[in-house]
Amino acid sequence: MHIHRVYKRVIVCAIVALATALALAWGPVSKAVGESASEAPVAEAGATSEATGTDGAPATGEGSAAPSSDAAASSTSSTCEFTTVKEIIGKKLGIINGSVADQILMDMYDGIDQDDILYFNSYAEIIQALKTHKIDVMVCDLPVGQLAVSRNTGICVMPEKLVKDQYGMVLEKNSPYTAMINERLAAYREDGTIEALYKKWTGADESVKTLPEQNWDTPNGTLTVAVGADAEPMSYQRGNEPAGMSVDLMYHAARDLGYGLECRPLALGSLIAEVQSGKADIATSCFSITDERKQMVDMTDPFYQGGMVAVVRDTAAGAGEELGFFEAVAASFERTFITEGRWQLILSGLGVTMLISIVSGVAGLALGFLFVLLRRKREGGLADKLIHALESLLGGLPVVVVLMVFYYVVFGELTIPGVVVAILVFTLLFGASSGSIMWNAIRAIDVGQVEAGRALGFGDRDTFAMVVLPRAARQFVPLLIAQFVSLVKDTSVVGYIAVQDLTRVGDLIRARTMEAFFPLIAIAIIYFVLCRVMARLLGRWAKRLEPKDEPRTIKGVEL
Amino acid sequence: MSLIEVKHLRKEYPNVVPLKDVNAYVDRGEVISIIGPSGTGKSTFLRCLNRLETPTSGQILVDGQDMCAPDVDLDLMRRKMGMVFQSFNLFDHLLVAENIMLGPTRLLGMGKQEAYERSLELLAQVGLKDKALYYPRELSGGQKQRVAIARGLAMNPDILLFDEPTSALDPTMVSEVLAVMKDLASRGLTMIVVTHEMRFARDASSRVFYMDRGELWESGPPEQIFEHPQRKETYDFVFRVRNWQWKIKTLDYDFVAMEASLRTFCARQFLGLRIANDLQLAVEELTSQYLVPMVRKYGIANPNIDFTIGVGEGGEQAQLEVNCSTLFEAGVTFEMMRDNADEISVAVLTRILSEQTMVAPGVMRCTIG
């Protein structure tokens, strides 16, 4: 009983600490959320028409750093902390992982060094870093910048553009589809489809942002498309469905070419690997067309020509109406859980996390026990040595590395779903760790116990099952429970191989709401509760296995 | 035919040969004590009998069955041979009764209820009926060892092997275990006991084996081994075991080790608490009050003081001999020492030591108890 009370106190303390952190980190939150979205129709007709003319020529090469006054005019304000490129040289720049913005900037501007550039996993994080002065500039593509400004206060797009840029789709080197798609893109440029789609996906009207039904004939088979899941408006994920302008474009192309489409939303960083390993035919998101990329993969002609902009802090911020703490939390809660039915996304992520954890936990335990049985056969024998080597190897590698090696190298050629690979990898990892935990506990059992069993006349197997194992279990069961909880937490890296677990879902929501803090805390709390509940349940079950102090009974005996 | 016959038993390890060439037999109903210095193959011999150790060569016949034959069913044979270990080796995760029931229920097919009743009977026999529902960790060492004996008996073995059953026990608990073992011996159970308890060996065994350096030097009834040993090795051992010697070479001698050694000796000899305490006190007072201050005063570099304690038959009396001839040569007499010591020490020693005689210059002998 006493222990339970301590338990509760610990949990309460943790929650209070989390809430305090939440309150401190919140800072002033303005009501303007979402309001400016209405005045931010990003549609920059100039960009698309420009694309028609230049047709694939790398825009970055032609000194196009000249400010384009009309670009982003609607969200540019005179109160930006910086207004020209000159001013931001030497400042801290935040860019997203997997983008080539860093190289482009360093090539174009003297004075921008590697040291000035910080890399982030999502735009939500960059915005948070910008607001909290960890960086001074968020470097992103114009449409992303527009969206960011429309959904956040206190930031603005710097009037002078950094770089002109153009997007293409990515295919495997020498893919048979490249020419086909280029031909379609040219046609869509001619007939105005591209411009119409751009307007549709960057407009304020959310209701029209849907993809066409797949109801056409598909005589030529199915194309697998890896879709960048957090690059709105070019490609993103809404609920469980892909969305975005470039995806819409692929739908048009597939329909006109007679292909079916299978779209898989993935993290930006894993898209190209997905194509290179043949797991997807096409990757589409906001890939800038660069010579470096062209050496590795095929890139289509541009379907969009915009540019890279700098989002900086707005010095006039704070003038807006401030929301109270609870109102702000309520607003964030609604954005994170309610809007677009995101709670369903979170539930499905939680389901995936639990599925991977529990299946890997059970199968891993069985594997670990098998390891123990094999090692027991002959200590110091071949099996013992091999298993020990495997345990050392897996124990000495970061989980995420093992996971990616299995997904991209070991099963690289096979189209096995990421969830299955994740379960296999975590089964192996948990097998190795639980096996070594059990083995060490078993080896620590006094040899006298075994001798006593053998001297009574029990065989090797009976002695193991009746004497050694029950005694060792008292040592290793608590360790296994802790190891299992740690497994649950370790599964949070499966997003790297395109599995949508709880963490990944949190990333997606953050990408959509461009809010770093609340979804992160929400996910943290869900993980915490999940781990505590599992540990408690397992702990209770383990307690039942232990010899009870009172009352003392012997099964099958009347005392 | 003997119950156990051992022929040319040899056990080798890479570095040592604990058993060289052992030949022995044990008849049904015999109680065999195996004595000898530590680390000379006694336990290895015992563990070879039920094949917890695998002999290098030789033959062990139990009930006519060769324990070293490749087709022997060891598990079956072991059921006929219970074993009691030095460190008890009770199953800590099971209740006392469950420890005893495990063998009969799992190996003999006995019903649980019946096995439980039987475990109570056996516990009553070793005086622990009220501990049936205790965990081993809740028992004292002596109680644990008695439970272990009951566990061995539960399989109705033909032979019970004891591997130094009292060596891990506090001196105060030795007697309760030995009492149980004596009781078993008187009931006609065949027992083989590796022990340092000379009194048990003498009083309770039908025959005693003396083992040293991997060989069985002598076997015979206790009177022969303890009173008229035939071999020089046996004689030396039996004699030495009854004496305690300690030499103080310098003033930095290890006082703690000396005390511990004396205590162990007293326990082994079954000396009463009073006489053991007196011995301890006498040695302590003599060194700290009589001898050491004089050595210091006269600046004797190598004092070389010898203590020898011999225990008489029955353990009611002990003889203490102090050899301090180096002091004597330097002109120190016992009278001078006494005059130098404080009054309490003198009073204590006068009470404890009787019949003080000088057997040689600087060698004093006295009786305690």
Side-chain angles (χ1 to χ4, degrees), chain A residues 25 70 128 170 302:
Chain A
D70 58 333
Q128 191 67 23
V170 173

Side-chain angles (χ1 to χ4, degrees), chain B residues 66-339:
Chain B
D66 185 357
M67 292 291 282
C68 302
D71 61 339
V72 66
D73 185 346
L74 278 182
D75 294 338
L76 202 64
M77 292 303 290
R78 281 175 183 150
R79 288 172 206 179
K80 301 183 185 177
M81 316 169 78
M83 186 156 188
V84 175
F85 298 86
Q86 181 177 346
S87 48
F88 329 129
N89 297 347
L90 292 178
F91 305 131
D92 301 354
H93 61 295
L94 298 177
L95 294 169
V96 163
E98 289 174 313
N99 262 277
I100 301 171
M101 291 160 62
L102 194 67
T105 49
R106 300 289 185 124
L107 297 172
L108 304 180
M110 196 185 278
K112 280 209 158 186
Q113 191 66 38
E114 192 190 348
Y116 176 68
E117 312 286 347
R118 170 117 175 88
S119 80
L120 291 185
E121 272 169 40
L122 290 166
L123 282 171
Q125 198 179 327
V126 299
L128 292 172
K129 196 175 176 189
D130 56 333
K131 304 284 190 223
L133 296 184
Y134 279 54
Y135 281 106
R137 61 170 185 271
E138 297 164 326
L139 303 183
S140 72
Q143 292 170 330
K144 281 184 198 171
Q145 196 60 296
R146 286 188 279 157
V147 171
I149 292 171
R151 179 175 68 179
L153 291 172
M155 295 293 288
N156 284 323
D158 292 338
I159 310 151
L160 205 49
L161 308 174
F162 293 80
D163 189 1
E164 302 200 22
T166 56
S167 297
L169 295 176
D170 279 353
T172 48
M173 295 169 183
V174 170
S175 54
E176 65 189 58
V177 173
L178 290 180
V180 166
M181 288 167 64
K182 277 182 188 161
D183 178 50
L184 291 177
S186 67
R187 289 171 187 232
L189 180 72
T190 312
M191 292 160 62
I192 305 177
V193 186
V194 171
T195 186
H196 290 292
E197 303 295 345
M198 293 307 137
R199 195 147 174 195
F200 174 85
R202 195 191 56 203
D203 297 349
S205 357
S206 55
R207 274 193 302 146
V208 177
F209 289 3
Y210 174 69
M211 283 187 76
D212 194 354
R213 281 162 287 161
E215 286 176 70
L216 176 56
W217 292 92
E218 190 171 349
S219 70
E223 306 81 60
Q224 176 195 326
I225 301 291
F226 289 106
E227 309 304 331
H228 319 286
Q230 308 289 301
R231 305 283 297 254
K232 186 182 173 299
E233 288 78 6
T234 323
Y235 182 89
D236 284 351
F237 176 76
V238 170
F239 176 75
R240 199 171 40 203
V241 161
R242 288 201 202 155
N243 283 273
W244 178 81
Q245 279 185 316
W246 198 270
K247 200 183 263 298
I248 298 175
K249 289 191 181 130
T250 68
L251 283 179
D252 307 322
Y253 71 104
D254 187 344
F255 176 67
V256 176
M258 181 175 90
E259 272 207 324
S261 161
L262 180 55
R263 249 200 314 274
T264 313
F265 170 76
C266 292
R268 290 245 170 103
Q269 298 301 321
F270 295 96
L271 293 184
L273 199 59
R274 193 185 138 91
I275 189 169
N277 280 344
D278 283 352
L279 271 175
Q280 198 88 35
L281 204 58
V283 171
E284 218 175 282
E285 296 294 338
L286 277 174
T287 32
S288 67
Q289 291 295 328
Y290 276 51
L291 300 164
V292 171
M294 289 319 238
V295 170
R296 202 164 272 146
K297 201 167 174 183
Y298 286 81
I300 298 164
N302 300 303
N304 277 329
I305 299 165
D306 274 348
F307 284 102
T308 310
I309 294 174
V311 179
E313 257 330 290
E316 282 87 25
Q317 269 196 340
Q319 262 186 351
L320 170 67
E321 198 177 282
V322 191
N323 181 341
C324 49
S325 48
T326 46
L327 279 154
F328 199 77
E329 280 158 20
V332 185
T333 63
F334 281 104
E335 286 72 29
M336 290 163 73
M337 293 186 206
R338 189 168 51 214
D339 294 344

Side-chain angles (χ1 to χ4, degrees), chain A residues 449 451 454 466 547 552 558, chain B residues 47 90 113 133 135 138:
Chain A
Q449 295 282 318
E451 286 185 348
R454 299 307 304 269
M466 286 188 303
R552 295 201 171 166
E558 249 177 73
Chain B
R47 291 161 59 84
L90 292 178
Q113 191 66 38
L133 296 184
Y135 281 106
E138 297 164 326

